[in-house]
Amino acid sequence: MENLREKHWHQHPLEDIEQLLETNVSQGLDRLAIEERKRLYGINRLTPQKGQSPFVLFLLQFNQPLVYILLVAAIVTFLLQEYVDSGVIFGVILVNAIVGFVQESKALKAIEALAKSMEGSANVIRGGKKIAISASELVLGDIVLLQSGDKVPADLRLIQCRELQIDESALTGESVASQKNLAPLTLETPLADRDNMAYSSTLVTYGTAKGVVVEIGDGTEIGQINTLIANATTMATPLTKKISEFSEFLLKIILILAGLTFVIGWLHGQPLLETFMAAVALAVGAIPEGLPAAMSIMLAIGVNKMAARNAIIRKMPAVETLGSTTIICSDKTGTLTQNQMTVQQLFSGQNHYQITGVGYAPVGQIQFKEHPFTAHGNSALLETLKAGLLCNDSRLIEQDLQWKIDGDPTEAALISSALKADLNLSELEKALPRIDTLPFESQHQYMATLHNTNHQPDGQSIIYVKGSVESIVKRSLNALDSDNTIIPLDVDSIHKEIDLMASNGLRVLAFAKKLVSSDMSTVSHSDLESGLTFLGLQAMMDPPREEAISAVKACQKAGIQVKMITGDHVKTAAAIAKQIGLKGAAENTQYAYSGHALAELTDEQLVEVAVNSAVFARVSPEQKLRLVEALQSKGHVVAMTGDGVNDAPALKQADIGIAMGLGGTEVAKEAADMILTNDNFATIEAAVEEGRSVFDNLVKFITWTLPTNAGEGLVIMTAIIFGLTLPITPVQILWINMSTALLLGLMLAFEKSEPGLMNRPPRKPNSPIIDKELMIRIVTVSTLLLAGAYGLFTWAIQAGQSIETARTLAVNIFVFGEMFYLFNCRSLQFSMFKIGFFSNPWLLAGVTTMAAIQVFFTHSPTMNTLFGSAPLTLSQWGMVLLGGLIIYTVVDIEKRIRASFK
């Protein structure tokens, strides 16, 4: 049997299809042919992709430098017989691994969702009989019957259709249902324009059809998307990259210093065991045990804050990734726009009108020259609105304080515009009952309804017609004027008005009527070939969200480019993009590109276009993926929104994929890192702000915790180099690190966003997590802690105090030095008084608790025994507090000096 899969089916005429697929369009396939094709081509089901086993996936959670450091810390504390501390560190590692394991394998879940979307049944003709079978049983050449409400079970070449409309938004991104016909197309016709094809998993919204199966399973368009999802690279987030680089650097430094400490001690002739334990103490002191836990908790807090702002995070590092975003690629329909078609302009009786209000809610008014206008003052306008209301098969329903539609979005917009003019549908239906309908057909481009009436001269009936401008104008003989008189048809003024409306991205429908004999009971196309009276135009669009306009402006002010990637037409997309305020990166660059134009570009040209242009319309899933990859190749951190099956590969490839919670498919949600519960672009802007705040707080924590680790390491090294007694023991170091990280450092996670957060440009992806200024601050505080600890330790020894008292002073100078320094770290730029001393009650509670626990550590006999501490006098406590105050003052002066130079 000839390979049936190597054909571009949309380009072949109907008479060739039957022969090429070796089938019979009237009888269908026989049993032998079905079995043979199942053997050759398999069944209509997506092939599951082989992924890593759960055990391997779990083990990979430990394959991180920071976890290596923690494992070393856990092993060292275990060897020191500090089993509780070792258990705590092991617990942190295990929790982190479990959280990461649960949130992995997006690609596998996305493919499972795709497989589910393929399930269902199909009505087919086999052996001359119409039967229902499982969609998975379809084979190439099967004859499938479609009707309104069906999900298309495989890729079909249509061979018969009647008024067929298919919602292909999940596959192409096109917001308006596709009108289908049988005419062959050129080879280059893009997916969204293949009107003679019906694709798997799309939905029939109107009409009936017969089609022959040309692709099944992995060979379908949705199957190819399955392959793209499986092959898409999961990008490391900026946070994981930076933490990994920082951890590797820290690991090397710690190992070098620990080794150096051991060698120096050995050269000084100190006992090997004592020298080894000192090196271990240095490693324990220098390892920031609290960092992984702090990072996880801060991200988790960010997740909760975002959930309150309608953004659900599926993978925690995505919180910070949003803060690093340099480009947002957004879908148009429902994200930047209302996803509710709205009539905005009217033309009737030689006058132009505006209509206010957005969405399906019939709230608004007709305006003429910016003043309210009643439709009853213009007969032509009133008839135009009547035609839109009566020549209509949809319904507008108020449910749970929201207006929803039953039917076509375009027809719903016409109902809303009529209701805004105070027309009453039930009264009109009684006065003008419908007696026949001529449904919309793509070859005629209009719909007509016949209405009976007793109010017309001679008891005539009325035919109302709506459709494309071309189809209505060419059938019109004259026009209705505002005073209800018949006037000559002015085609030029109509087309001038249409051009004006189209330039604003509006979709234009024309309306007409014809008076016929009251004896007429049916309406046919021959009745409408000529003699219509032109009534007017209604121009509509899916209007931009007001909050999206301000959110886009805020993103641009924050240095983030916003680009539109949509399945809509180029002119419509560009017009809406300009209304929203989208800008290209370069003035002399083409503003908008179609998918067809993108296909002609080389990889190098695509990179330049992707960076500089603002709108990409009618693009395929592969092109969306290429656009994301092109932007990433220039070092951009890319956030990508989407709601359809066609968006899933690009969502997975993006640094952060954002799916729509209301209108999104399960496939898109499974491939995404974040889900918007309100499908609103403004939520993305809020999430970006929250992401920046999370990263700020994480940097604050690292800036706060590193001086402690560095100071402890320096204390150990100084003791070894100069042959001095250790001022702090390894177990005391663990006490300092674990207690302060939990009660002090983590409280920084509750800091609110700093002033001007969204006025900053995005962080450069290759910038270090700690910049030069902060590194100088860390070194300064580390040195002050070293000096304070050794100063008080030496003073106590010389004053004849016990070694326990001296060490307790050194421990407290670290704890209270960190406590005072914590107030410096509440803002990396401003004084704590500028951001509000009481603005973070969690931090104040943590400081109070830490102070109480440290008093307990110092004065409790039990703690004295466990940790080798000793009680202090009031004067000694005063020295400790003075040391902390000095650290705060020095850092505050340093911040003020830096601010004066900016």
Side-chain angles (χ1 to χ4, degrees), residues 733-812:
I733 288 172
L734 279 172
W735 166 261
I736 295 169
N737 289 356
M738 300 304 285
S739 62
T740 56
L742 179 64
L743 293 172
L744 298 181
L746 283 180
M747 300 304 113
L748 290 170
F750 298 97
E751 284 296 332
K752 296 178 180 177
S753 299
E754 293 201 13
L757 184 66
M758 288 300 284
N759 293 334
R760 305 182 205 160
R763 292 189 319 277
K764 294 180 180 178
N766 57 354
S767 63
I769 198 167
I770 299 294
D771 61 23
K772 184 179 177 181
E773 290 182 6
L774 294 181
M775 190 58 71
I776 292 172
R777 188 176 300 170
I778 289 167
V779 171
T780 301
V781 177
S782 301
T783 305
L784 290 172
L785 287 171
L786 170 66
Y790 252 113
L792 287 181
F793 178 80
T794 304
W795 171 82
I797 294 296
Q798 290 177 351
Q801 301 289 331
S802 67
I803 188 72
E804 289 80 14
T805 300
R807 282 176 170 162
T808 303
L809 280 168
V811 168
N812 276 304

Side-chain angles (χ1 to χ4, degrees), residues 755 826-827 829-837 839 888 896 899:
R826 290 188 60 193
S827 171
Q829 302 177 57
F830 307 113
S831 164
M832 68 172 174
F833 297 106
K834 181 170 182 177
I835 62 174
F837 183 82
S839 61
Y888 173 83
R896 291 175 187 272

Side-chain angles (χ1 to χ4, degrees), residues 58 67 112 123 146 150 330 347 355 455 498 505 554 607 746 824:
F58 181 71
V67 175
E112 288 173 356
N123 293 314
L146 298 175
D150 285 351
S330 178
F347 176 75
I355 186 162
H455 303 291
I498 291 165
V607 170
L746 283 180
N824 294 118

Side-chain angles (χ1 to χ4, degrees), residues 618-824:
R618 297 190 84 71
V619 292
S620 67
E622 293 88 348
Q623 288 173 328
K624 288 187 179 184
L625 189 60
R626 282 186 71 204
L627 283 168
V628 172
E629 291 171 337
L631 292 169
Q632 288 172 334
S633 72
K634 298 297 286 184
H636 285 288
V637 178
V638 181
M640 169 80 185
T641 76
D643 54 8
V645 174
N646 62 322
D647 296 318
L651 289 176
K652 183 169 179 284
Q653 176 66 36
D655 296 279
I656 175 163
I658 305 169
M660 303 300 112
L662 296 177
T665 60
E666 288 303 312
V667 178
K669 292 176 188 176
E670 290 294 337
D673 300 285
M674 183 174 88
I675 299 170
L676 304 184
T677 60
N678 60 355
D679 292 9
N680 194 334
F681 184 87
T683 302
I684 302 175
E685 185 261 334
V688 167
E689 182 179 356
E690 197 61 55
R692 289 189 174 191
S693 181
V694 167
F695 186 81
D696 266 10
N697 290 344
L698 190 60
V699 172
K700 290 172 188 176
F701 176 84
I702 294 172
T703 305
W704 171 83
T705 194
L706 285 187
T708 306
N709 302 115
E712 290 164 346
L714 287 172
V715 164
I716 304 297
M717 282 198 70
T718 303
I720 295 297
I721 291 171
F722 295 103
L724 304 174
T725 304
L726 286 176
I728 309 176
T729 64
V731 70
Q732 288 171 343
I733 288 172
L734 279 172
W735 166 261
I736 295 169
N737 289 356
M738 300 304 285
S739 62
T740 56
L742 179 64
L743 293 172
L744 298 181
L746 283 180
M747 300 304 113
L748 290 170
F750 298 97
E751 284 296 332
K752 296 178 180 177
S753 299
E754 293 201 13
L757 184 66
M758 288 300 284
N759 293 334
R760 305 182 205 160
R763 292 189 319 277
K764 294 180 180 178
N766 57 354
S767 63
I769 198 167
I770 299 294
D771 61 23
K772 184 179 177 181
E773 290 182 6
L774 294 181
M775 190 58 71
I776 292 172
R777 188 176 300 170
I778 289 167
V779 171
T780 301
V781 177
S782 301
T783 305
L784 290 172
L785 287 171
L786 170 66
Y790 252 113
L792 287 181
F793 178 80
T794 304
W795 171 82
I797 294 296
Q798 290 177 351
Q801 301 289 331
S802 67
I803 188 72
E804 289 80 14
T805 300
R807 282 176 170 162
T808 303
L809 280 168
V811 168
N812 276 304
I813 199 67
F814 267 97
V815 171
F816 282 87
E818 282 190 86
M819 193 181 294
F820 277 88
Y821 179 49
L822 183 70
F823 288 97
N824 294 118

